[in-house]
Amino acid sequence: MSKKYQELKKTNASQILSIISKLIIQIENTYDDEYNLFDAKVEKDILDLRSLLKKISGNIIELKINTPWEFEDYSTEIDGKEILIKKDPNIKDYISIKDVYNFIPYIPFKTDLDIIKPFTKKTSLTNIEFLFMYDNNGYLSILEGELLKVKIPFIRVVFNMHTHPEGHCGFSVPDINSGLDLLSEGGLATSVVTDTCAIVMHRQGLITENDYIKIKSRKYENEIFDSIKFMKIIY
């Protein structure tokens, strides 16, 4: 019996996602519900992948934000790099944190597609599925699953995705339920990927109780969710 494929690597997307996750989680942890979470402002270049890649090439990564609620400057570390999140009331070129949530689904497909596509091709040829997990420490784990299924462990990660054969770009009910659990525990996105398409389920703010109940009750058709969004990406 051959050993299943496993790989742990650092990628552009894994580093960017871990940094953005630290930023979002810190803003959420300090959030005062007397305000609107989307009133949190972040430097606009957080949406510029070239700028982000330049930032992660250094040992100190500084991110500026502004919030109407109290926020103390925060320092953490990812893989030897110091991450500084500073409140700056004088930010001029800024976006809402809402725009950052909406940017997250695109990151792996703009920076790691050359890593993802060989595995989607394998799945289309063999029906063996693969799992990708972008963690909070700047790394990507790739794990081989089974024939037409993959067991997604309940591990808190930033973004997970798994492959489906070409022509099956959609979530199963178990996929949605496990994805909802990930988002409820602070993860930012989950996805199914094929050779030409991805369907992404991501959160936009903190998961509301109403949205959680709707999804667990399988009420998807024609429903509008406040805190959960679905997006289809063609590449």
Side-chain angles (χ1 to χ4, degrees), residues 103-137:
F103 177 61
I104 286 161
Y106 294 102
I107 294 171
F109 308 106
K110 286 183 176 289
T111 60
D112 279 2
L113 196 56
D114 60 330
I115 296 170
I116 296 167
K117 287 199 75 169
F119 294 95
T120 61
K121 288 183 184 297
K122 284 182 184 178
T123 298
S124 289
L125 289 171
T126 66
N127 285 330
I128 299 294
E129 296 186 2
F130 291 86
L131 174 65
F132 299 76
M133 295 188 294
Y134 290 93
D135 66 29
N136 291 281
N137 300 311

Side-chain angles (χ1 to χ4, degrees), residues 85-113:
I85 304 172
K86 294 184 174 182
K87 183 171 182 175
D88 182 354
N90 299 314
I91 295 177
K92 293 180 180 178
D93 209 6
Y94 62 83
I95 55 167
S96 165
I97 191 177
K98 184 176 183 178
D99 297 309
V100 182
Y101 287 114
N102 291 336
F103 177 61
I104 286 161
Y106 294 102
I107 294 171
F109 308 106
K110 286 183 176 289
T111 60
D112 279 2
L113 196 56

Side-chain angles (χ1 to χ4, degrees), residues 2-233:
S2 61
K3 188 176 179 180
K4 289 185 179 296
Y5 182 89
Q6 296 182 36
E7 184 178 7
L8 177 68
K9 65 194 301 178
K10 189 191 300 182
T11 72
N12 287 334
S14 68
Q15 294 177 86
I16 290 170
L17 284 167
S18 62
I19 291 166
I20 289 179
S21 175
K22 297 287 186 187
L23 174 76
I24 287 177
I25 296 301
Q26 194 59 23
I27 290 173
E28 291 176 346
N29 285 345
T30 63
Y31 169 58
D32 182 338
D33 61 11
E34 290 185 6
Y35 299 90
N36 186 330
L37 176 62
F38 298 148
D39 286 339
K41 299 177 176 64
V42 183
E43 282 184 299
K44 189 176 182 179
D45 65 1
I46 197 81
L47 303 188
D48 183 336
L49 287 171
R50 287 186 182 180
S51 174
L52 283 170
L53 291 171
K54 187 175 180 180
K55 280 181 185 288
I56 65 177
S57 67
N59 291 321
I60 299 176
I61 300 163
E62 185 174 293
L63 304 170
K64 293 181 180 178
I65 69 154
N66 192 21
T67 62
W69 55 88
E70 290 187 17
F71 183 97
E72 293 185 2
D73 292 351
Y74 175 76
S75 175
T76 187
E77 187 177 293
I78 297 175
D79 194 36
K81 297 178 187 292
E82 186 178 10
I83 314 298
L84 300 174
I85 304 172
K86 294 184 174 182
K87 183 171 182 175
D88 182 354
N90 299 314
I91 295 177
K92 293 180 180 178
D93 209 6
Y94 62 83
I95 55 167
S96 165
I97 191 177
K98 184 176 183 178
D99 297 309
V100 182
Y101 287 114
N102 291 336
F103 177 61
I104 286 161
Y106 294 102
I107 294 171
F109 308 106
K110 286 183 176 289
T111 60
D112 279 2
L113 196 56
D114 60 330
I115 296 170
I116 296 167
K117 287 199 75 169
F119 294 95
T120 61
K121 288 183 184 297
K122 284 182 184 178
T123 298
S124 289
L125 289 171
T126 66
N127 285 330
I128 299 294
E129 296 186 2
F130 291 86
L131 174 65
F132 299 76
M133 295 188 294
Y134 290 93
D135 66 29
N136 291 281
N137 300 311
Y139 285 87
L140 166 64
S141 297
I142 306 173
L143 306 173
E144 182 180 347
E146 308 287 342
L147 191 68
L148 294 176
K149 66 179 180 179
V150 64
K151 185 176 181 180
I152 302 177
F154 188 69
I155 300 172
R156 183 174 174 177
V157 295
V158 180
F159 194 137
N160 69 25
M161 65 177 74
H162 66 280
T163 59
H164 276 187
E166 184 62 21
H168 297 274
C169 187
F171 290 113
S172 66
V173 171
D175 290 342
I176 290 177
N177 285 333
S178 65
L180 179 61
D181 291 336
L182 171 69
L183 302 186
S184 299
E185 292 295 322
L188 298 176
T190 185
S191 177
V192 165
V193 292
T194 71
D195 205 31
T196 59
C197 165
I199 186 81
V200 184
M201 174 182 172
H202 69 102
R203 66 184 179 92
Q204 193 178 75
L206 300 165
I207 300 296
T208 65
E209 182 180 4
N210 193 37
D211 283 352
Y212 187 91
I213 291 170
K214 281 183 188 176
I215 288 184
K216 284 295 186 181
S217 302
R218 300 190 186 183
K219 294 179 180 178
Y220 315 134
E221 295 296 324
N222 302 316
E223 287 287 344
I224 296 174
F225 300 104
D226 295 319
S227 59
I228 298 170
K229 306 298 175 185
F230 292 86
M231 178 184 296
K232 191 171 188 177
I233 299 171

